[in-house]
Amino acid sequence: MSRTLQMARRYAKALLEVAAAEGSLDAVRSDLAVVRGWLDEAPAFHVFAACDHLGGREARTRAVLELARAAGLGRLAAEFLARLAAAQDLAHLAAVHDEFERQWRARAGIVRGEIVSARPLPEALKAGLARQLGGAGRTLELTYREDPTLLGGFVARLGERIHDCSVSGRLARLRRRLAEA
């Protein structure tokens, strides 16, 4: 696991736990989405976050706090951004946001997934697959797309798990078994 991912996981977990304890999880999540928008849509903020050498630590921390206040971010999100700036870790803000979202979804029992099929699936089949793959106690957020190279069937990616029920997948497994025999 990369050092950046480890750091992002620690930051995200700490923020998630503090926000949950304070009962402000939804507000913090909303504030982080605003900050992610700055990274994605404001080149000046992206450069500011990525370059730790622009200004000293104290000046960067003050700038982040002023920006958070001007944007109307909550206290917890503002303090979190200030801590990232003070630790010179603003460059990892996108990774922290992504990890926070992943951990929030896991805590809420939401699993993101994608179903790839050879042809468009009828709505009744989509609903049946969602029911069958969902399991108890979790909600699926599914996206669908087509890939004609599958020949038939589907491949479902749910979180980190892959269910290959495609014709091309079955043929590949059969080829491997025949080669090993």
Side-chain angles (χ1 to χ4, degrees):
M1 181 183 319
S2 76
R3 190 174 192 287
T4 299
L5 183 57
Q6 289 175 342
M7 181 187 334
R9 284 189 174 167
R10 282 194 312 268
Y11 276 127
K13 182 179 180 186
L15 181 59
L16 191 77
E17 288 176 0
V18 171
E22 290 187 7
S24 59
L25 197 51
D26 291 336
V28 168
R29 184 169 177 250
S30 176
D31 288 347
L32 282 183
V34 168
V35 174
R36 181 57 187 253
W38 297 344
L39 282 172
D40 295 342
E41 299 166 11
F45 183 76
H46 183 80
V47 169
F48 173 77
C51 298
D52 290 330
H53 305 295
L54 294 176
R57 283 186 188 194
E58 291 177 18
R60 288 173 63 81
T61 302
R62 278 194 312 273
V64 166
L65 284 171
E66 288 176 29
L67 184 58
R69 184 179 23 239
L73 299 184
R75 177 194 55 81
L76 191 55
E79 287 177 5
F80 180 73
L81 289 174
R83 288 185 190 273
L84 281 178
Q88 293 184 320
D89 286 334
L90 276 177
H92 307 292
L93 189 53
V96 171
H97 173 265
D98 293 346
E99 185 60 25
F100 181 89
E101 281 294 308
R102 188 192 68 75
Q103 290 182 22
W104 177 85
R105 279 184 167 72
R107 181 183 200 125
I110 299 171
V111 177
R112 278 190 168 170
E114 177 185 48
I115 296 181
V116 182
S117 60
R119 291 175 217 33
L121 298 174
E123 290 303 317
L125 186 54
K126 287 180 181 180
L129 281 173
R131 233 183 354 267
Q132 189 173 12
L133 295 171
R138 66 180 187 177
T139 305
L140 293 181
E141 287 183 355
L142 295 174
T143 58
Y144 298 90
R145 70 178 173 90
E146 289 82 41
D147 180 1
T149 62
L150 294 180
L151 303 175
F154 66 92
V155 176
R157 290 180 180 89
L158 303 172
E160 296 179 6
R161 299 190 74 189
I162 297 175
H163 304 276
D164 188 349
C165 300
S166 67
V167 171
S168 61
R170 289 177 185 169
L171 288 172
R173 288 189 295 276
L174 180 60
R175 263 188 237 114
R176 277 194 305 272
R177 273 191 260 146
L178 290 174
E180 292 170 358

